[in-house]
């Protein structure tokens, strides 16, 4: 049920594979590529030896501090999601830690009610429109006065779905 990290030695190179158990109709083919080898190596040294939960926490802390290493892939967005009444939710960036099987989505949440305070909870954001393969959800603020902003971080496990 849980992902397994495998280290494969091939032609003197070490490849880390994160395998997620699931039923497949045919044997999957795995191709090892050194195209992103240096990024993967840097990420492995950054997260080396950490338990999965600690990796996730470190990933969130790096994003919260805006201290994203160059070895991570960052894509900036400005996509609004209108799924909550009075709450403006905008996807700001997606950060991928190549080789670690993790992706972080950062949203900005703004209370646009005009006069009503809002109480947010992490579980409110477990919506298929916002995330899949969710590992963790974290908010910078839980209580928003009108006009207040909060940062929402959602960490997902990569793999299993099409990118």
């Amino acid at each position: 049920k849980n992902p397994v990290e495998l280290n494969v030695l091939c032609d003197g190179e070490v490849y880390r594979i994160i395998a997620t158990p699931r039923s497949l109709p045919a044997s999957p083919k795995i191709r090892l590529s050194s195209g992103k080898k240096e990024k993967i190596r840097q990420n492995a040294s950054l997260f080396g030896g950490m338990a999965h939960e600690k990796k996730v926490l470190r990933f969130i802390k790096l994003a919260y501090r805006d201290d994203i290493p160059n070895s991570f892939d960052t894509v900036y967005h400005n996509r609004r999601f209108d799924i909550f009444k009075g709450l403006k939710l905008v996807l700001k960036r997606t950060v991928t830690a190549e080789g670690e099987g993790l992706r972080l989505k950062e949203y900005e949440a703004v209370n646009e009610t005009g006069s009503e305070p809002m109480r947010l909870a992490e579980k409110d954001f477990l919506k298929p429109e916002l995330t899949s393969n969710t590992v963790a959800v974290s908010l910078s603020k839980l209580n928003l006065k009108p006009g207040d902003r909060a940062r929402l971080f959602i960490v997902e496990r990569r793999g299993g779905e099409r990118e």
Side-chain angles (χ1 to χ4, degrees), residues 107-124:
Y107 294 86
E108 178 183 62
V110 181
N111 180 344
E112 290 189 327
T113 60
S115 62
E116 301 284 320
M118 283 186 161
R119 172 113 175 107
L120 304 176
E122 283 90 353
K123 66 179 181 170
D124 297 337

Side-chain angles (χ1 to χ4, degrees), residues 2-18:
N2 295 322
V4 175
E5 293 181 27
L6 304 169
N7 292 306
V8 178
L9 181 63
C10 180
D11 196 27
E13 299 290 332
V14 176
Y15 295 89
R16 176 184 270 169
I17 299 172
I18 298 177

Side-chain angles (χ1 to χ4, degrees), residues 53-163:
E53 294 80 10
K54 295 223 183 247
K55 288 180 187 181
V56 171
L57 284 172
R58 182 151 196 205
F59 200 6
I60 292 170
K61 285 179 185 177
L62 289 169
Y64 180 78
R65 293 182 195 139
D66 289 321
D67 188 21
I68 304 296
N70 291 335
S71 60
F72 289 10
D73 295 322
T74 303
V75 178
Y76 292 92
H77 309 273
N78 192 23
R79 183 173 170 209
R80 184 174 175 146
F81 291 83
D82 291 315
I83 57 177
F84 301 103
K85 185 179 177 185
L87 185 69
K88 175 181 161 187
L89 195 61
V90 178
L91 176 61
K92 300 307 264 182
R93 66 181 170 179
T94 304
V95 182
T96 305
E98 199 63 52
E100 296 299 322
L102 296 174
R103 172 180 45 227
L104 179 138
K105 292 180 178 177
E106 181 179 344
Y107 294 86
E108 178 183 62
V110 181
N111 180 344
E112 290 189 327
T113 60
S115 62
E116 301 284 320
M118 283 186 161
R119 172 113 175 107
L120 304 176
E122 283 90 353
K123 66 179 181 170
D124 297 337
F125 300 97
L126 295 173
K127 304 265 186 212
E129 300 94 320
L130 303 176
T131 183
S132 63
N133 296 323
T134 310
V135 175
V137 179
S138 180
L139 279 160
S140 64
K141 284 174 99 172
L142 296 176
N143 295 308
L144 297 181
K145 296 175 188 167
D148 274 358
R149 299 173 185 275
R151 293 169 72 193
L152 167 67
F153 302 96
I154 299 176
V155 179
E156 300 173 331
R157 182 175 347 162
R158 288 186 64 208
E161 82 276 0
R162 294 185 180 246
E163 298 291 321

